[in-house]
Amino acid sequence: MLIEENISLLPYNSFHIEARAKHFVSIADADQLGSILEKDDGKSQLVLGGGSNILFTRDVKGLVLKMDIRGITMVKENDSHIFVRAGAGENWHSFVRYAIGRNWAGLENLSLIPGSVGAAPIQNIGAYGVELKDVFYELEAYDRKNKKVYTFGLNDCAFGYRDSFFKSGEKNRYIILNVTFILNKTAVLNTSYGAIREELGQMDVRTPSIRSVSQAVINIRQSKLPDPAEIGNAGSFFKNPVVDQARFQSLSKDYPDMPAYPHEEGSVKLAAGWLIEQCGWKGYRKGDAGVHQRQALVLVNYGHATGKEIFDLGEEVAASVKKRFAVGLEREVNVW
Ligand code: EPU
């Protein structure tokens, strides 16, 4: 286990921001964590998964732990379900492909999401009508405080919209080591999302399968979202804002075409991308920082933007949405 010094984090973040780590270590085995963590002060540590949901605005003056724990194992099965465990460092989409290749259903709507398996529960990743919590069984995490490994079941994780116990409850206390998923042997496909139905129609698919739904999701994502390998980005920069009924009613009087989706307890989720587009930001570019041309919820780095430039653009975007719609936008991306 090698601790490297003064490492560039550019290859480790999908925004392609230049930032440096004073110390950097790749963790391939949970047993390595205890000895590594004893040596550092904790405050300046950063745990990095796929680096697809982080914006660096400064260097890391301490230690970056890159989670590289690998391995996919079927832990048990019954008549209807497969329980499969994946190491935190597995690439998310490779894991999805692994399951689809075996005809295990449940992950297909979550195809092509950048990032790692270990980061997925932290923000309860979601797309096209499915969230991680729908296929989650349990996870193992290292507790930095008690220096032990604990198992968390579904009810321990407090999953919400792009939220979990690991994001808002005990942020930074636990390091996720592996995640076990419960997948279906018989496909129960979720094609309720309009865009999936339309895409399946375009693909001329009459009887959808795990594979065709995955392909439809891949096609939609590729048509709308910039590929981080080509243009730096971290997917949605903001969460979709949730407002109460009264606020929604008053907004929809002024903007009858505004997209809106029912949320928990009578609240309503608005489409941040729509709000941002209405404020005229779609396709905006200042230097190398920009708002994506096909999806205004995604901020992009066209080349050499700094984290600060992207951050400031995000602040300007949020301020203009606040001014026009009196709706606050909360960042989805983590800022370091
Ligand atoms: N819209 C616009 N203009 C835009 C972008 C969107 O008018 O520039 C409208 C669309 O026409 C649609 C609505 O806003 O009526 C919603 O757009 P879309 O279906 O593209 O999804 P989203 O709400 O912008 C969310 C997730 C995505 C996920 C998609 C599909 C969040 C923050 N984002 O985006 O997740 O892929 O739904 O389920 O919830 C991510 O988290 O990084 C991410 C990409």
Side-chain angles (χ1 to χ4, degrees), residues 123 126-129 161-162 193 221 224-225 234-236 238-240 259 261 269 271 273-274 277 282 294-297 332:
Q123 57 154 348
Y128 307 104
Y161 166 56
R162 294 293 192 279
Y193 208 90
R221 290 190 77 98
K224 276 195 187 176
L225 297 167
S236 302
F238 300 101
K239 293 192 345 178
N240 282 327
Y261 315 92
K269 200 196 265 182
W274 185 89
E277 181 174 350
K282 201 170 187 170
R294 293 193 300 271
Q295 171 43 294
L297 189 46
E332 199 217 78

